[in-house]
Amino acid sequence: MTYRNKAILFSAPSGCGKTTIIKRLLDHFDCFDFSISATSRQPRSGEENGKDYYFMSHDEFRQHIDHGDFLEWEEVYEGTCYGTLKSEPERIWADGNVIVFDVDVNGGKNLKRYFGDKALSIFVMPPSIEVLEQRLRNRGTESEESIAKRLGRSAKELQESHHFDVTIINDDLETAVEETRRTVAEFLAK
Ligand code: ADP
Ligand code: 5GP
């Protein structure tokens, strides 16, 4: 089945479970195609260029900004930029697929404004900031400095859920995946 020009936006502070939930949904909805963001951060172990992100230097990122290549971009953490290249949604819609975005909260708000009713915006909420901190630590991908930067930003971002169409509480993972699956299916059937 092909869907005309629809998008699903996932936003939340780092560590809330966006990637985990998206991975589960990619197995369920074969029309989903992930919008691969550009970033100036280093790859984590296991991450692949062109699959998880387009990894690039600060200079390359800056050149894309100067050429007007981004639909949106953000310096999410000091010195580390992330952005959606215009070519990603174009490619995914040309294939007749549904775009899936994993972006920070500002990026989610900007993309929702851009796509309007074509997009379902989903905020993934952790049960508490303490659980979020624990999950970030357990993931084992961040230094203490990076965890502190991420948590510093999270408290503010968690106040922003009302800007989104739906909030999913990611306490029990199976419940969160099922609720998200149901909400997405309703949106795609409209
Ligand atoms: P994000 O993409 O939002 O940064 P991740 O999907 O990487 O977050 O999740 C952060 C960590 O929390 C990962 O180690 C993941 O396995 C774990 N996690 C995600 N959801 C849950 C959950 N419901 N219960 C327990 N651990 C979870
Ligand atoms: P991470 O370094 O954990 O992969 O991502 C850090 C944050 O950057 C996450 O909140 C993620 O959603 C966000 N992010 C990833 N890609 C983009 C993007 O293209 N635009 C924006 N605005 N944020 C992004």
Side-chain angles (χ1 to χ4, degrees):
M1 176 138 185
T2 56
Y3 295 91
R4 285 198 61 78
N5 300 2
K6 290 202 171 189
I8 316 287
L9 302 165
F10 287 88
S11 291
S14 183
C16 285
K18 298 178 293 295
T19 311
T20 307
I21 292 175
I22 291 171
K23 279 198 177 137
R24 292 282 300 271
L25 293 188
L26 286 170
D27 293 339
H28 187 86
F29 293 99
D30 57 9
C31 57
F32 270 18
D33 200 350
F34 185 60
S35 170
I36 302 162
S37 296
T39 181
S40 65
R41 83 154 160 74
Q42 293 294 315
R44 293 177 187 136
S45 104
E47 282 184 331
E48 282 177 42
N49 186 36
K51 180 166 171 276
D52 299 283
Y53 281 105
Y54 299 114
F55 294 100
M56 56 183 70
S57 67
H58 290 281
D59 284 351
E60 279 176 278
F61 200 97
R62 173 54 58 192
Q63 278 171 19
H64 282 296
I65 295 172
D66 293 344
H67 290 158
D69 294 338
F70 286 116
L71 194 54
E72 62 81 38
W73 68 273
E74 196 84 33
E75 185 173 354
V76 176
Y77 306 108
E78 205 187 324
T80 310
C81 294
Y82 297 79
T84 306
L85 292 161
K86 289 176 183 166
S87 50
E88 280 299 291
E90 285 165 8
R91 168 183 71 77
I92 294 169
W93 275 353
D95 289 344
N97 287 326
V98 174
I99 315 166
V100 178
F101 290 99
D102 170 346
V103 292
D104 84 320
V105 173
N106 271 334
K109 281 158 60 181
N110 288 335
L111 288 171
K112 176 65 186 178
R113 214 172 290 125
Y114 178 81
F115 287 108
D117 290 344
K118 292 188 160 102
L120 172 70
S121 62
I122 300 177
F123 191 95
V124 180
M125 181 75 91
S128 68
I129 196 115
E130 291 77 18
V131 170
L132 174 62
E133 178 169 358
Q134 200 53 54
R135 284 185 189 165
L136 262 181
R137 267 181 218 293
N138 291 348
R139 192 168 71 183
T141 54
E142 310 303 318
S143 64
E144 275 307 309
E145 189 196 348
S146 170
I147 289 174
K149 266 194 195 174
R150 280 159 197 265
L151 288 174
R153 191 178 165 93
S154 301
K156 194 169 139 273
E157 286 191 321
L158 287 173
Q159 311 295 319
E160 306 246 16
S161 61
H162 60 281
H163 292 288
F164 291 77
D165 296 326
V166 193
T167 296
I168 301 287
I169 312 275
N170 183 18
D171 187 356
D172 172 63
L173 181 62
E174 296 309 317
T175 308
V177 168
E178 179 50 26
E179 200 183 335
T180 312
R181 195 199 57 72
R182 201 166 7 92
T183 310
V184 168
E186 276 169 23
F187 172 73
L188 293 181
K190 272 198 237 160

